Each structure stands twice: as C-alpha cells, then as structure tokens.
C-alpha cells in the first residue's frame, strides 16, 4: 500500500507542475490580447494556479498524515 501511495503522490505532484506551467503559458498568451479578452483568460490563469495550490496542499497533508 505504501508504494501505491508514493505513486499517487508522485502523480499529483506532476499535476502541480502541469497546472503551474499551463497557467504560465495562458498568461503569456493573454498578455497580448485586448483588456476585455485578457480578463477572461486571466480568470483561467487564476483557476489553474488555485488547482496547483490545492494539489500542493493535498500532497503536504497526505505526507504529514502518513509520517513522511
């Protein structure tokens, strides 16, 4: 079971990187858009960053709860 938990945590940590990279990419693309359109894309960026943070906190709670 411990090996499976490590695999799940590794997968979720990979998601953290994906969410952060996706947010950065969308933010770069949105930077050249008109303000009204940029605002819509910046909302998506905020959601992506929030998902990354939620995943990071989940991993931290699981690691703390499992003793490592």
């Amino acid at each position: 079971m411990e090996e499976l938990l490590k695999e799940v945590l590794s997968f979720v940590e990979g998601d953290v990187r994906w969410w952060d990279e996706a947010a950065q990419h969308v933010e770069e693309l949105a930077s050249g858009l008109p303000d009204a359109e940029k605002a819509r894309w910046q909302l998506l960026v905020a959601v992506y960053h929030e998902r990354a943070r939620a995943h990071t906190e989940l991993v931290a709670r699981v690691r703390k709860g499992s003793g490592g």
Side-chain angles (χ1 to χ4, degrees), residues 10-66:
S10 176
F11 181 81
V12 173
E13 287 172 326
D15 279 356
V16 169
R17 287 186 294 279
W18 186 93
W19 285 116
D20 277 333
E21 288 174 10
Q24 184 177 17
H25 182 69
V26 171
E27 196 166 29
E28 289 170 4
L29 291 173
S31 68
L33 297 174
D35 287 344
E37 186 70 18
K38 186 187 305 185
R40 286 184 232 153
W41 287 100
Q42 287 174 332
L43 178 58
L44 185 60
V45 168
V47 170
Y48 283 4
H49 281 304
E50 172 61 27
R51 297 311 302 164
R53 190 174 81 237
H55 280 65
T56 299
E57 291 171 0
L58 176 63
V59 168
R61 286 195 322 260
V62 170
R63 288 194 189 286
K64 184 178 179 182
S66 69

